[in-house]
Amino acid sequence: MQPNTSAEVSATAQKGHPNLGGQPTFQKRPYWRQTWKAYKRYKYMFILLAPALIWYLLFAYGPLYGIQLAFKDFIINKGIMGSPWIGYKHFEAMISGAQDFHLIIRNTVVLSFYHILFGFPAPIVLALLFNEVRFEFFKRISQTLSYLPHFLSWVVVAGFMFTVLSPSSGIVNAIIGYFGIDPIYFVGKAEYFRFTLVSSAIWKEIGWGAIIYLAALAGINPQMYEAAIVDGAGRFKQLLYITLPSLLPVISIMFILRIGHVLDAGFDQVLNMYTPATYSVADILDTYVYRIGLEQMQFSFATAVGLFKNVIALTLVLFTNYIVKRAGQEGLV
């Protein structure tokens, strides 16, 4: 047998011959083959996932077909496809302040700001308080009572708030009446309505929102607390240097998701609680779209407003995710 020439040895080494010091090479399978193999391997899991995927296709992605209404002058008897294109006419009308749009934007942003300022920290504080309770029975009863209002619809909650806050027979006005204060119409006066909205939303959702933070607290290594106690750290320092830093990843993700709903100021709540007397401070984008689109049948303009809101929300989510990641915390992507 003839010995290999240097050129052949070099070529063989470049191909990855194990005896000649070359790095072994592996032919990478196409991406679609790897994906199909994964589908075949986990086919039963994907079958279980199928109902959720079908739901999203029908109710989340299917309605995207109607987005084109924002760029058309919709005529019912001609349908979506037969209606004429008008470009950005509806968006120009929004920017120019048609139909009090600027007031609607201001109400939405102000209410969302109040919800974030007071409503976002509330479940965190409640979870930290529950975490400090050592009497297990009292802790379970309190936690159960705190998230029960979440299961009530806003129709029921609104009726409850109207009854409790009634200036004539409500228990709240009865209590403040003992201190010589005149009855306050919390739901019917514009100056009190935002306070009523935010406080009732916190009362309804604070317990449910605390669940995810309690789950994160349960995952903290107890040895960290034991080491802190040995070092002489009290409850406050344990909270400051162990509990809160451990919650930061969850808080950052929840904050990003909350910013995505900054233009959602609570459609169900506002729709069931506001009155014509409080339109000036309570009319938000969602109720505006509902009233303009369904009651006044301006479908194209309502679609344009909804599209504008969703684009702004997506932009805010991406920007907040970028800021959070730059700050050293975990983001969504």
Side-chain angles (χ1 to χ4, degrees), residues 58-100:
L58 292 178
F59 298 103
Y61 293 97
L64 292 178
Y65 169 77
I67 287 180
Q68 58 184 304
L69 281 177
F71 308 96
K72 288 190 170 186
D73 184 14
F74 180 66
I75 302 173
I76 295 180
N77 58 0
K78 292 185 177 180
I80 296 178
M81 298 303 296
S83 299
W85 292 92
I86 59 173
Y88 299 100
K89 180 180 178 181
H90 296 307
F91 296 96
E92 293 172 356
M94 283 191 295
I95 296 174
S96 63
Q99 303 180 21
D100 298 327

Side-chain angles (χ1 to χ4, degrees), residues 108-109 111-112 115 257-267 270 284-286 309-310 313:
T108 306
V109 172
L111 278 175
S112 295
H115 280 300
L257 295 175
R258 182 62 187 86
I259 290 296
H261 295 278
V262 72
L263 296 182
D264 294 329
F267 170 72
V270 175
I284 59 174
L285 276 172
D286 290 332
K309 168 190 161 184
N310 291 328

Side-chain angles (χ1 to χ4, degrees), residues 184-217:
I184 300 173
Y185 198 178
F186 290 97
V187 184
K189 285 191 175 182
E191 55 266 32
Y192 299 108
F193 189 75
R194 286 173 177 167
F195 166 78
T196 305
L197 279 179
V198 175
S199 58
S200 60
I202 293 175
W203 170 77
K204 185 176 184 296
E205 300 296 340
I206 185 173
W208 186 258
I211 292 177
I212 189 169
Y213 298 108
L214 288 170
L217 289 171

Side-chain angles (χ1 to χ4, degrees), residues 211-234:
I211 292 177
I212 189 169
Y213 298 108
L214 288 170
L217 289 171
I220 300 176
N221 190 348
Q223 294 181 355
M224 298 173 65
Y225 292 104
E226 295 172 2
I229 294 173
V230 172
D231 291 338

Side-chain angles (χ1 to χ4, degrees), residues 243-255:
T243 307
L244 286 178
S246 300
L247 282 180
L248 275 180
V250 178
I251 293 175
S252 61
I253 292 176
M254 297 302 294
F255 182 70

Side-chain angles (χ1 to χ4, degrees), residues 151-331:
F151 299 99
L152 301 176
S153 69
W154 273 114
V155 177
V156 176
V157 174
F160 173 75
M161 297 302 294
F162 278 113
T163 302
V164 170
L165 300 177
S166 172
S168 58
S169 59
I171 186 173
V172 174
N173 278 295
I175 292 174
I176 65 177
Y178 284 113
F179 298 95
I181 303 175
D182 295 332
I184 300 173
Y185 198 178
F186 290 97
V187 184
K189 285 191 175 182
E191 55 266 32
Y192 299 108
F193 189 75
R194 286 173 177 167
F195 166 78
T196 305
L197 279 179
V198 175
S199 58
S200 60
I202 293 175
W203 170 77
K204 185 176 184 296
E205 300 296 340
I206 185 173
W208 186 258
I211 292 177
I212 189 169
Y213 298 108
L214 288 170
L217 289 171
I220 300 176
N221 190 348
Q223 294 181 355
M224 298 173 65
Y225 292 104
E226 295 172 2
I229 294 173
V230 172
D231 291 338
R235 283 287 182 85
F236 180 74
K237 288 190 175 180
Q238 293 176 37
L239 172 68
L240 193 62
Y241 295 106
I242 297 177
T243 307
L244 286 178
S246 300
L247 282 180
L248 275 180
V250 178
I251 293 175
S252 61
I253 292 176
M254 297 302 294
F255 182 70
I256 293 172
L257 295 175
R258 182 62 187 86
I259 290 296
H261 295 278
V262 72
L263 296 182
D264 294 329
F267 170 72
D268 293 338
Q269 180 189 16
V270 175
L271 183 66
N272 285 285
M273 293 184 65
Y274 78 159
T275 60
T278 58
Y279 275 175
S280 60
V281 296
D283 201 14
I284 59 174
L285 276 172
D286 290 332
T287 56
Y288 179 71
V289 169
Y290 171 80
R291 190 171 64 255
I292 295 297
L294 296 182
E295 294 182 0
Q296 301 182 17
M297 300 183 67
Q298 299 182 31
F299 301 110
S300 296
F301 188 80
T303 304
V305 175
L307 180 59
F308 166 80
K309 168 190 161 184
N310 291 328
V311 170
I312 295 298
L314 176 61
T315 304
L316 290 174
V317 166
L318 296 177
F319 177 73
T320 308
N321 183 71
Y322 171 77
I323 295 298
V324 168
K325 294 184 71 174
R326 291 282 294 181
Q329 299 298 324
E330 295 182 6

